[in-house]
Amino acid sequence: MDFDKILIDFGEYGLYQKRLIWLVVLPCVLPCGFHAYNQLFMASIPEHWCKDEEHINHTSKINQCLDSMNNTCKFWDYDHSRYLSTIVTEWDLVCSKQFYPTFALTIFGLSGLFGMLLFGFIQDGLGRRPAFFIYLFIECIFGIATAFANDFWTWLIFRIGVGFTVPAILATPNVLPIEFVGPAHRTTCILLTNIAHSIGMVILSLVLYAFRDWRQLALATSLPFTVYFLYWWSFPESPRWLLACGKFEKAKSILLKMAKVNGKDISLHYMDQLKIKYEEEFNNQKSKTIKKYNVFHLFRTPNLRLKTIAITFIWFVNTTVYVGLSYYAPALSSDEHLNFFLAGAVELPTYIVLWPAMEKFGRKSLLHISMLIGGCACLAATFPILDDQWTLIMFCIGKMGISSSYVILSLFAPELYPTVVRGLGISVSSVAGMIGPVGLPVINYVGMGSQLSLIVMGVLQIIGAFVTLILPETKNCHLPQTLDDGEEYK
C-alpha cells in the first residue's frame, strides 16, 4: 500500500505534523551534539610543565616531559587560564599517558558503531518510539554518571555507555518526520532538523564558555536529555512503520488523530474500505512482519544492493569528514572555543541556499556538488602558501560543503531505502559511517602538527562525490514500502 497516497486524505503537512516537528522533534535535536563533542573539551590538554619548576622561568620547558635535571617528570602543573580542570589535569594524562585521550575518543566512536547496528534491529523490530527511549535512558544514566568518575578507566566506561547511544539518538529525529509528511515536504523537515542540530552546536560552544570544569560540563550537557522523557506521551509511533508491520489498528488510531488535528473529515466507511484494501495487499506478501528482515535483504537484489553499497560509502565519507572537521576545529588556533563556535555557525548559512535549491534541483546533483566543494576546500587548506587566516577560510568552506552534503544525505538515504528495512538500512550505513570517527583520532594523533587529516578528508569527499552519480533522483517520489518497491526504484 502506497502510504504517500493515503496521507493526502489525512493531511500531508498539516497542523499535526507541524506540532510534531516544532514541539517534539526539534527540541529533541537541539542537544544531540552535546554528548558527541563535549569529550573534546573534557579531555583538552592545556599547557603543562614540571611541578618542581613552578618558581623558575619555565617557558622553555612547557609541554616537555623532563624536569630541570633531565629526569622524567613525576608531577605537573597546568595552565588553568582556559579550563579550571579537565580529565588530563585531574589524572595527569600527559607524556607517557598522552595517548589516553585519543584512545578514549577512538573507543567512544567504536561504541557508537556497535550501538547503531543494534539500534537498527530494535527500531525496525519494536518501532521508532521504544527504540528511541530505550537508548535515551541509557544515554542519560551514563552521561550523568560521567561527572562522578573517580579515575580515567571508570570515566572511559561511562563514556562507552554514552557513545553507544549518540548516533542512534540523532537518527530517530531525522527519520521520524519524513515518515509523517508527503514527498513535497520532506526537504522542509530535514532542513529544520539540521538547522536545530547546528544551533545546538553553537549553544554547546557557549556552554563551554560557561562551564570550565569538566565535571560541571558533563552534567550541563547531560541534563537536557532527561527532559526528553516529558515527550514520551507526545512522541508518536510512525504509522508508516506500523502499516509495514501489519499493525493496521494502531496505525488507524494515529491517522484518525492526524486527520482530526489537520481538519480532515474521514468517514468510518473510508476507514473500512481502506482496511479491506490494506489486508488484501498485505496478505499477498510472503513476509508479514518486519522482524523477518535482516541485513542480507539489503544485498539480495542487484539494484537494492548497488544503492546500499553506494549509500553506505557516501555515509561513511560524510560522517568521517563532518565529525573529522569538528574534531579538527579546536586545533586551528589558540582559541579552541571560538573555533568550535565557527565550525557550528558556518553551517547555518548553507541552509538558506539549500532550502530552495533542494526543491528545485533535487538531491543527487546537489549532493555531488556539495561534496566536490568540500573536498576541494579541504585540500586547498593544506597549501603551504596560505597563511593561517586563509586556512581558516578554506576550513569554513569545507565545513559548509560537508554540512550541505550531510543534510542532503539525511533526506536522500531514507528516501532510497524501503520502509520495511529503512531503519536497518540507515543503521548499516551509519555503522559504516562510524568507522571514520573510530580512526580519525588516531590519524590526528599521528599527524599532529601536520595537515594529514585534511588531506584524507579532502580525497574521500572527491571520491564520494562521483559515487553519488550512480544513485537515482528521489525528488517528489513516493517512498518505497516493500523490497520489491526498492528494487524497481532505479
Side-chain angles (χ1 to χ4, degrees):
M1 178 177 285
D2 192 334
F3 184 80
D4 287 316
K5 290 182 178 178
I6 300 173
L7 196 58
I8 295 173
D9 297 322
F10 294 89
E12 292 184 280
Y13 189 60
L15 182 60
Y16 181 89
Q17 286 93 335
K18 291 174 183 177
R19 284 181 179 176
L20 172 66
I21 292 169
W22 287 97
L23 300 181
V24 178
V25 173
L26 296 185
C28 287
V29 173
L30 275 174
C32 277
F34 285 14
H35 276 158
Y37 300 107
N38 63 357
Q39 185 164 324
L40 295 175
F41 303 93
M42 282 195 285
S44 181
I45 305 175
E47 291 185 346
H48 49 277
W49 54 88
C50 222
K51 195 166 188 176
D52 66 354
E53 300 178 10
E54 61 180 337
H55 298 300
I56 66 174
N57 182 6
H58 56 260
T59 303
S60 62
K61 304 292 290 184
I62 285 179
N63 299 345
Q64 293 189 16
C65 299
L66 301 176
D67 61 20
S68 56
M69 303 300 293
N70 287 328
N71 297 317
T72 302
C73 191
K74 297 181 180 179
F75 303 100
W76 291 265
D77 268 338
Y78 300 89
D79 177 8
H80 295 286
S81 60
R82 188 172 300 278
Y83 299 100
L84 295 178
S85 72
T86 69
I87 65 166
V88 172
T89 65
E90 183 158 338
W91 298 316
D92 289 332
L93 305 181
V94 294
C95 295
S96 62
K97 297 181 180 180
Q98 186 177 358
F99 185 69
Y100 280 29
T102 299
F103 173 73
L105 204 55
T106 299
I107 297 299
F108 180 81
L110 189 63
S111 64
L113 189 155
F114 289 106
M116 193 63 196
L117 181 60
L118 179 60
F119 182 73
F121 291 99
I122 298 175
Q123 191 180 51
D124 284 341
L126 298 180
R128 286 30 172 165
R129 184 190 188 198
F132 178 78
F133 282 96
I134 289 171
Y135 270 56
L136 175 61
F137 178 77
I138 296 172
E139 184 170 42
C140 287
I141 294 297
F142 282 94
I144 294 173
T146 296
F148 299 95
N150 291 321
D151 58 76
F152 171 78
W153 298 107
T154 303
W155 176 86
L156 180 59
I157 291 172
F158 293 151
R159 291 303 297 174
I160 291 173
V162 173
F164 183 82
T165 64
V166 164
I169 291 296
L170 183 57
T172 299
N174 276 331
V175 172
L176 191 65
I178 68 170
E179 293 193 332
F180 271 89
V181 303
H185 304 284
R186 293 182 204 138
T187 299
T188 299
C189 291
I190 208 70
L191 280 170
L192 286 173
T193 55
N194 279 274
I195 288 172
H197 181 264
S198 296
I199 293 174
M201 296 280 281
V202 173
I203 293 174
L204 176 58
S205 67
L206 300 178
V207 172
L208 296 172
Y209 277 108
F211 298 94
R212 298 193 300 146
D213 176 88
W214 75 267
R215 294 182 187 274
Q216 295 175 358
L217 179 61
L219 281 177
T221 50
S222 297
L223 292 179
F225 290 92
T226 63
V227 180
Y228 282 2
F229 287 103
L230 299 177
Y231 288 99
W232 173 259
W233 300 111
S234 58
F235 203 95
E237 186 53 85
S238 167
R240 194 185 297 266
W241 175 83
L242 289 169
L243 289 175
C245 291
K247 302 177 181 180
F248 181 85
E249 292 301 322
K250 291 184 178 180
K252 174 184 173 181
S253 63
I254 296 175
L255 288 171
L256 288 175
K257 182 178 180 180
M258 182 189 301
K260 182 179 179 180
V261 175
N262 289 342
K264 302 288 186 177
D265 186 17
I266 303 296
S267 66
L268 293 178
H269 176 71
Y270 174 93
M271 294 304 299
D272 290 338
Q273 293 298 113
L274 183 63
K275 183 176 182 180
I276 292 172
K277 179 182 178 181
Y278 167 78
E279 289 180 344
E280 288 177 354
E281 293 185 10
F282 189 80
N283 289 332
N284 287 333
Q285 298 178 14
K286 293 181 180 180
S287 298
K288 295 186 179 182
T289 171
I290 199 169
K291 293 179 181 178
K292 293 184 179 180
Y293 292 109
N294 56 55
V295 66
F296 298 105
H297 286 89
L298 295 168
F299 299 93
R300 284 186 177 178
T301 53
N303 291 325
L304 188 56
R305 177 168 60 247
L306 181 63
K307 285 186 285 189
T308 299
I309 293 172
I311 295 168
T312 299
F313 178 75
I314 296 168
W315 204 296
F316 162 75
V317 172
N318 274 261
T319 304
T320 300
V321 178
Y322 183 87
V323 175
L325 290 179
S326 297
Y327 282 1
Y328 190 84
L332 280 173
S333 67
S334 58
D335 194 340
E336 54 191 32
H337 292 168
L338 177 61
N339 295 339
F340 192 78
F341 171 83
L342 290 174
V346 295
E347 297 179 13
L348 296 173
T350 63
Y351 306 130
I352 300 175
V353 177
L354 276 182
W355 205 309
M358 289 177 70
E359 294 292 347
K360 183 175 182 179
F361 301 109
R363 291 61 159 131
K364 180 178 176 179
S365 59
L366 286 177
L367 182 60
H368 173 73
I369 293 170
S370 296
M371 295 185 73
L372 272 182
I373 293 174
C376 291
C378 284
L379 292 178
T382 66
F383 288 178
I385 61 174
L386 299 177
D387 57 21
D388 291 342
Q389 183 178 359
W390 278 106
T391 299
L392 180 60
I393 291 173
M394 290 296 104
F395 171 85
C396 289
I397 293 175
K399 190 65 174 357
M400 293 173 72
I402 196 62
S403 298
S404 299
S405 64
Y406 209 102
V407 170
I408 300 165
L409 183 63
S410 298
L411 176 60
F412 198 22
E415 288 180 333
L416 288 167
Y417 283 121
T419 298
V420 293
V421 288
R422 182 167 295 121
L424 182 59
I426 295 299
S427 292
V428 169
S429 298
S430 298
V431 166
M434 291 305 297
I435 295 174
V438 170
L440 274 171
V442 178
I443 294 175
N444 283 339
Y445 185 81
V446 172
M448 191 178 299
S450 70
Q451 296 174 318
L452 175 64
S453 297
L454 288 176
I455 295 173
V456 171
M457 290 185 282
V459 171
L460 281 176
Q461 285 184 89
I462 293 174
I463 296 173
F466 288 99
V467 173
T468 63
L469 298 179
I470 69 176
L471 295 172
E473 179 56 67
T474 60
K475 178 189 174 185
N476 292 332
C477 294
H478 290 185
L479 293 181
Q481 287 287 102
T482 66
L483 291 178
D484 290 337
D485 293 338
E487 179 62 20
E488 293 172 2
Y489 187 32
K490 301 179 182 178

